[in-house]
Amino acid sequence: MKHPSFCRTLVATCLLAGALSSASAIDHAAFRAELRAFYPDRFQSDPVKDPRSAASYQAIEKELTAFCREHPGYDALDVRRESYLAMRRHFVPFLFKESPFYFEAGVNGGWGGKRPARIVNRLCGKFYDEKGLVPKSAFERQRARQRECLALCCGPFCDDMHHVPPFRKILSVGFKGVRDEVAAALKTCPADDPKGRKELETALVGLDTIHDLQLKFATEAQRLLSQSDNLTIEQSNNLRRIAEAARRCPWEPPKTFYEGLNTLWFVREILGYVDGVNCFSLGRPDAYLIDFYNKEIAAGTLTKDAARELVTKFLLTAECHYDSSTKVDSYNDHEMEIPMSLGGCDTKGVPLYNELTAMFLDAHLEADCVYPKLHCRISSNAPQAYLEKLGTMLMKGHAVFTLLNDDRYLKQYTRDGFSFEDATSYIGTGCWNGYVDSVQDVDGANYLSMIKLLELTLNPDPKKLKACELELDPLDNAQSFEELRAIYWHNFERYLKGVTDDYSKYGVSSAQVFPHPVYSMCLRGCIESRRDTNEGGSLSHPRIMTLGFIGNVTDSLMAIKSVCFDRKLATVKEFLDVVRANWKGPRGEELRRAALASPYWGDGTPEPIELMGWFMKQANKATEGKDNGFGDTYRYAVYTYREFMYWGKNTRATPDGRRDGDQLAQGFSPSESRCEEGVTTVMNSIGKLPHDKLYASNVNLTFDASAMNAQLLAAILRVFCEKGSHMIQPNCNSAELLLEAQKHPELHRNLIVRVCGFSARFTSLSKRWQDEVIARHRLK
C-alpha cells in the first residue's frame, strides 16, 4: 500500500536538507572548487590532477631504478631506505589556500594516485621467484580461486589494503617520540640480530623523512604568503596558521583542537606516502580532541563557530576527494575508503556523546557529505539523544552509517587479552570492522564464498577444479540430512585448509617485498621485536576469514532437507538436477516453489539458526591453534562488500531458489529473495547466533520509513546491541520515494542510501544498482 502523504513529507524533508546543504555549499564554494580542481573525479586509484605529483613520482622512480641497477644485491629494506631519501628531494607539499590543513601528498592515504612508496613493491616483486618466497603455482592457484569468485585476498597472500593509522601513538608522543623509542632500541639491539638492526635503522631514516616533509609544508606556506597581493584575508590567515603549526606538529604532539584535527589527516596521509600502507581511517575526533576543544572554549581561544568551521572543512576535505555525482556502476566506483569513528565510550566505559559528536554529525548532514564514512559506535546503554540523532538523520535520507556495537567489541577485545582501556580505543576502518588503535594490524579482507563451493559441488568442472586445486565429493547420493551436511562441510573444510595453508606459509613473505618500517614501529610490539608487522612484529595481528554467503548455504541445505527428506517431494539427485538446469524442466517451478517455502535464515524458526551456528563453530574448530603466519590466529567473520551482486552474477542456480546469476545475501542479512519478516523476527534470529565465534559481522537492513520515526529507530538500534551482533548498516526509506527519485533525480540529489560497505547518492547509482536498492525488503 502506498502512503502519498508520507511520500510528500519525505520529499519535502529532502528538499529542506537540500536547501541546507546548498547554503553550506555556497558558503564553502571556493573551498570545494579548489579541492575538486586537485582530486580525481571518479576512481580513488586515479592520480591527482596537479602535474607536479606525476613529476615527483617519476623523479623518485628514476632514482630508485638507478639505485637497484647499481646495487644488484639490494633487498627491500635497502630500497625502502633509498625511497625515503628520494622523497626528501622530490616531495611536493600540496596546500590549498582555502584550507587551514596541511597533509596532502597526493596518495589518498596510500589508496590512490601515483604512490612512490609502491615503487618498492615493483622493484622487489622479483624476490617472490628469485628468493623462492612464493612458487608460481601458488600464485596461479590464488588467481584461479579469485577468477572463479571462490575467494578474494586483498594482496599477495595477505591483506595489503586495510590498515588503521596509529593515532593514539602520534597524538600522545608525536613522530619524534616514536623516533626516540626506535633510537633507544637500536642502542640495545643484540649483535646477533642484524635483521632487527637494519629494520630499526631504516625506520629512523623514514621517521626523519616525515619530519623533513612536515617542514616542507611550513616552507611552502611561507612561500605562498610571499604572494600576499593575490591572497584574501582568509587565505592569508590559513597560510600563516600552517606556516606556524607545520614547524612543530605532528613531529611533536598537537596542543590545540586545530592541530589535533590536522594530525588526523596528516598521519593518515603521510604513512600512505612514505610506507605505501593503505591507512583507512580518520580516527575518533570526538574522543581524541574533546579535551583540546573544552580547554580552548573555556579559555576563549576558540569559539564554537570557529570550531564548527574547522569541523566542516575537515569533513568536506574527504567529501571533495571525488565527484559524488558521477555514476556508480562498476566495482570500485565511489570507494574512497575514508572512514571516521564517532561515539562509543571513554576509557572508563562511560558512553561518549559529547558536543563534538553532535557537531560532527550535524556538520556531516548540513554539508551534504557522503564521505567520510561514519563508523558510529553504539551500545545498549548509549545516550538516547545520540541514538535519536542517528535515527533522525536516517529519516532525512542521510544513510551514511556503519554502526558498530560496543557491547560486542569491548567484550571481544577484553576476552582476547587487551586491557579495557585499549579495547575502548577501537576504531572502524575500511568498510567495517574495528581495530584497536596503535596496537593491532588486522589482516581483514580474506573472503571465501561458501555458496560458490556448493555450486561447484553441484556443477563440477574438471578444468576449474584442477586450477583451484579443489577436491569435492558429490551430494547426490546422500541418504540423510546429516550425511548431506557432513559431505558439504568436508568439502568446505578441505578447501579452507588449502587456503589457510597458503596464507600461513606465504603471507609473511610480503615483509621481504614491501616492508613498512615506519608504520610498524608505531604499533605496539614492533620496536621490542625489531620486526615488521608482516613478520609478526606487532602485538596483535589476527587473520580474518570471511564465511561469505553463509545465509545462502544455510537456506540451500534447509531447502534440500525440506524438499527431499522431510516432505519427500524428490530424491536429492532429482532435486539437484532441477537446480543444475536452472529450475527448468517439467518439475522446475514446482520444486522451486517448494524450495522457497522451506525454512530459511531470518524467519525465526530454530533449524536455520542452529545450522548457521553449527557452520560458525565448525570453522573455528577447523583452524583452532593454527598459526596464521604472523604469530597470531585465524578468526572468522560474516560480511560482504559488492560481491553479493558481482559474485552472484557468476554463481549458477543454488538449492535455495536462486536462479543463475541472481544476487546473493548480504552478510548476516536474510536473503532478499526470501525475507518476508518484520524487525522483531529478524533481530531475534540474529540474537540466537554464537557471535563469540566471530571476529566481525555485518547485517544490512532496510527499514520501512512509513512505519518508523527517530524514537523507534533508536529503540531498534538499542535492541540490536543487546542481541550481541557486531555491526548494522541501516537504510530507512520507502520504495515510493526511491521510484520518485528515479523519475525526478534533480529533486533528490541529497538522498543518500547505504549500498553495502559504502554509501552513495541514490541519483548517482546506475539503474541496476538503483533497482537493487528499491527491491530490498523493508522491515516494519
Side-chain angles (χ1 to χ4, degrees):
M1 178 180 177
K2 294 183 178 180
H3 303 271
S5 62
F6 179 75
C7 289
R8 285 194 295 272
T9 301
L10 270 185
V11 171
T13 300
C14 287
L15 289 174
L16 174 59
L20 286 171
S21 63
S22 295
S24 177
I26 292 170
D27 291 344
H28 298 98
F31 179 80
R32 290 177 185 259
E34 189 178 19
L35 268 61
R36 288 299 312 121
F38 177 83
Y39 291 117
D41 291 328
R42 186 174 181 184
F43 293 112
Q44 78 287 345
S45 57
D46 287 346
V48 297
K49 297 170 186 173
D50 192 317
R52 292 178 297 167
S53 177
S56 170
Y57 176 90
Q58 290 165 6
I60 295 171
E61 182 180 43
K62 183 178 179 180
E63 286 196 11
L64 294 184
T65 302
F67 171 83
C68 292
R69 185 172 56 249
E70 295 163 7
H71 301 80
Y74 68 88
D75 64 20
L77 283 176
D78 292 330
V79 188
R80 183 66 78 200
R81 181 193 65 245
E82 292 304 311
S83 74
Y84 292 150
L85 297 173
M87 288 170 187
R88 297 185 197 179
R89 292 186 285 271
H90 302 291
F91 176 71
V92 179
F94 298 107
L95 292 178
F96 308 110
K97 296 175 184 178
E98 299 291 337
S99 173
F101 301 119
Y102 56 96
F103 67 89
E104 185 55 67
V107 299
N108 190 15
W111 178 234
K114 291 288 188 179
R115 297 166 282 177
R118 291 275 167 159
I119 298 170
V120 177
N121 302 44
R122 179 176 63 77
L123 293 173
C124 300
K126 64 178 184 177
F127 295 158
Y128 285 122
D129 184 40
E130 285 185 358
K131 297 186 178 183
L133 302 179
V134 181
K136 290 181 180 179
S137 59
F139 279 121
E140 290 169 358
R141 183 165 57 244
Q142 184 185 49
R143 286 192 290 269
R145 291 166 176 171
Q146 297 192 166
R147 185 173 59 247
E148 295 303 324
C149 300
L150 188 61
L152 172 67
C153 179
C154 291
F157 302 100
C158 69
D159 180 2
D160 185 38
M161 189 175 290
H162 301 87
H163 304 273
V164 63
F167 292 116
R168 282 198 303 163
K169 185 71 172 181
I170 305 306
L171 288 169
S172 174
V173 302
F175 282 108
K176 181 180 183 297
V178 178
R179 191 201 187 283
D180 290 343
E181 292 178 24
V182 173
L186 184 59
K187 291 180 180 179
T188 59
C189 181
D192 60 354
D193 185 16
K195 176 66 170 63
R197 174 170 293 277
K198 191 168 187 176
E199 189 81 30
L200 296 172
E201 290 173 340
T202 307
L204 284 180
V205 177
L207 288 159
D208 286 339
T209 295
I210 287 178
H211 189 208
D212 186 79
L213 304 189
Q214 176 190 307
L215 294 176
K216 288 183 186 296
F217 282 104
T219 302
E220 176 66 3
Q222 200 64 51
R223 184 187 72 82
L224 292 173
L225 273 170
S226 68
Q227 306 169 358
S228 56
D229 291 345
N230 300 319
L231 300 174
T232 66
I233 293 175
E234 182 179 0
Q235 290 172 345
S236 296
N237 289 338
N238 287 336
L239 292 171
R240 272 192 287 271
R241 181 180 245 179
I242 292 169
E244 179 181 352
R247 285 193 286 268
R248 195 189 64 78
C249 178
W251 184 244
E252 298 175 16
K255 293 182 178 179
T256 66
F257 179 64
Y258 156 69
E259 289 182 348
L261 281 174
N262 189 80
T263 295
L264 301 183
W265 268 114
F266 191 95
V267 172
R268 178 188 186 272
E269 181 73 6
I270 213 67
L271 288 174
Y273 183 82
V274 299
D275 265 9
V277 60
N278 297 342
C279 288
F280 290 168
S281 180
L282 287 172
R284 300 178 65 203
D286 58 338
Y288 295 154
L289 308 181
I290 188 62
D291 289 342
F292 292 132
Y293 174 82
N294 286 337
K295 182 179 179 180
E296 289 181 84
I297 292 293
T301 56
L302 178 70
T303 68
K304 293 185 178 182
D305 286 344
R308 177 63 171 263
E309 178 67 6
L310 285 171
V311 165
T312 299
K313 285 191 172 181
F314 181 90
L315 297 174
L316 284 175
T317 301
E319 173 66 16
C320 291
H321 267 64
Y322 80 127
D323 181 356
S324 62
S325 66
T326 56
K327 284 296 178 188
V328 178
D329 189 53
S330 66
Y331 189 85
N332 282 331
D333 291 348
H334 285 230
E335 183 50 87
M336 289 296 106
E337 290 295 14
I338 309 178
M340 180 182 73
S341 297
L342 295 172
C345 65
D346 64 17
T347 57
K348 298 186 183 301
V350 178
L352 190 155
Y353 177 60
N354 57 36
E355 196 168 337
L356 282 182
T357 315
M359 186 180 292
F360 274 95
L361 290 172
D362 289 341
H364 202 281
L365 174 63
E366 292 174 16
D368 188 31
C369 293
V370 179
Y371 284 89
K373 299 179 181 182
L374 294 185
H375 285 184
C376 292
R377 288 171 45 179
I378 60 176
S379 66
S380 58
N381 64 341
Q384 182 68 13
Y386 175 42
L387 296 183
E388 286 191 20
K389 183 176 282 289
L390 300 180
T392 298
M393 293 172 73
L394 287 168
M395 293 294 295
K396 288 183 177 180
H398 199 72
V400 295
F401 302 114
T402 290
L403 302 177
L404 298 150
N405 181 11
D406 270 14
D407 292 358
R408 169 54 54 195
Y409 275 104
L410 297 184
K411 183 185 299 184
Q412 172 176 299
Y413 286 130
T414 52
R415 181 198 65 196
D416 288 349
F418 292 96
S419 70
F420 186 76
E421 181 175 345
D422 279 340
T424 63
S425 76
Y426 82 89
I427 56 180
T429 190
C431 307
W432 33 65
N433 215 343
Y435 298 179
V436 178
D437 184 354
S438 302
V439 180
Q440 277 194 308
D441 190 18
V442 180
D443 201 277
N446 305 288
Y447 289 16
L448 300 176
S449 177
M450 296 181 70
I451 193 64
K452 185 65 177 183
L453 191 93
L454 176 60
E455 186 250 281
L456 289 173
T457 302
L458 303 186
N459 306 284
D461 181 321
K463 185 177 180 180
K464 291 180 180 179
L465 297 184
K466 181 179 180 181
C468 297
E469 294 192 18
L470 285 177
E471 183 181 351
L472 302 176
D473 297 331
L475 300 173
D476 296 53
N477 298 319
Q479 298 300 303
S480 67
F481 174 71
E482 290 71 24
E483 182 183 357
L484 180 112
R485 185 184 69 174
I487 294 171
Y488 169 78
W489 184 255
H490 182 57
N491 288 340
F492 184 79
E493 189 172 18
R494 279 186 298 194
Y495 171 58
L496 176 64
K497 181 181 185 300
V499 172
T500 54
D501 282 351
D502 280 352
Y503 288 170
S504 292
K505 187 173 183 180
Y506 303 126
V508 70
S509 65
S510 61
Q512 298 185 56
V513 177
F514 47 94
H516 308 309
V518 174
Y519 175 71
S520 295
M521 296 306 143
C522 293
L523 298 178
R524 191 180 301 168
C526 286
I527 292 177
E528 294 80 2
S529 65
R530 303 178 294 279
R531 290 296 183 271
D532 191 280
T533 177
N534 279 351
E535 284 187 289
S538 52
L539 184 68
S540 173
H541 200 153
R543 189 188 284 270
I544 314 305
M545 307 299 293
T546 299
L547 302 174
F549 316 113
I550 190 173
N552 293 105
V553 173
T554 297
D555 293 353
S556 291
L557 267 60
M558 291 308 304
I560 299 173
K561 180 178 185 297
S562 174
V563 172
C564 303
F565 298 117
D566 296 343
R567 301 168 65 190
K568 302 186 185 303
L569 299 178
T571 66
V572 173
K573 185 178 187 309
E574 290 170 341
F575 180 63
L576 295 183
D577 280 343
V578 170
V579 176
R580 284 185 274 259
N582 196 24
W583 305 101
K584 296 177 181 177
R587 300 191 67 194
E589 282 305 312
E590 172 201 349
L591 291 179
R592 183 168 185 267
R593 285 195 299 272
L596 292 172
S598 62
Y600 63 88
W601 159 242
D603 69 358
T605 57
E607 284 188 300
I609 297 170
E610 292 169 4
L611 179 58
M612 185 178 284
W614 184 84
F615 283 138
M616 291 156 56
K617 293 173 184 177
Q618 290 298 112
N620 278 269
K621 288 180 182 178
T623 54
E624 186 175 9
K626 186 173 188 176
D627 191 308
N628 66 7
F630 305 126
D632 211 319
T633 60
Y634 283 94
R635 304 290 293 275
Y636 290 88
V638 176
Y639 47 56
T640 183
Y641 191 54
R642 305 185 205 199
E643 289 80 13
F644 74 91
M645 178 180 284
Y646 292 108
W647 285 17
K649 287 188 175 298
N650 290 285
T651 302
R652 293 177 59 180
T654 44
D656 55 347
R658 282 184 60 262
R659 292 190 171 95
D660 288 357
D662 282 356
Q663 71 181 58
L664 299 164
Q666 301 182 44
F668 261 148
S669 308
S671 176
E672 292 289 352
S673 64
R674 304 294 300 275
C675 189
E676 299 176 351
E677 311 304 327
V679 173
T680 302
T681 300
V682 172
M683 290 292 182
N684 284 338
S685 296
I686 292 171
K688 294 175 181 176
L689 290 170
H691 294 286
D692 61 320
K693 300 300 180 183
L694 297 177
Y695 190 86
S697 65
N698 83 291
V699 58
N700 300 343
L701 298 178
T702 299
F703 300 98
D704 188 338
S706 67
M708 293 290 157
N709 56 46
Q711 293 74 30
L712 185 53
L713 284 170
I716 290 170
L717 295 178
R718 202 178 296 281
V719 169
F720 174 81
C721 292
E722 292 173 351
K723 296 298 180 182
S725 190
H726 289 80
M727 187 191 80
I728 182 172
Q729 298 187 118
N731 276 302
C732 185
N733 53 48
S734 69
E736 291 89 348
L737 176 65
L738 299 183
L739 289 168
E740 168 71 15
Q742 267 191 331
K743 294 179 182 178
H744 302 287
E746 70 281 359
L747 298 177
H748 299 275
R749 182 185 178 277
N750 309 105
L751 178 59
I752 300 172
V753 296
R754 191 71 179 178
V755 183
C756 48
F758 73 107
S759 296
R761 301 187 192 284
F762 180 78
T763 55
S764 295
L765 297 178
S766 66
K767 178 68 161 52
R768 63 171 173 169
W769 276 110
Q770 286 184 344
D771 289 345
E772 190 279 322
V773 174
I774 291 170
R776 292 182 182 182
H777 175 65
R778 285 164 178 77
L779 300 171
K780 294 185 178 180

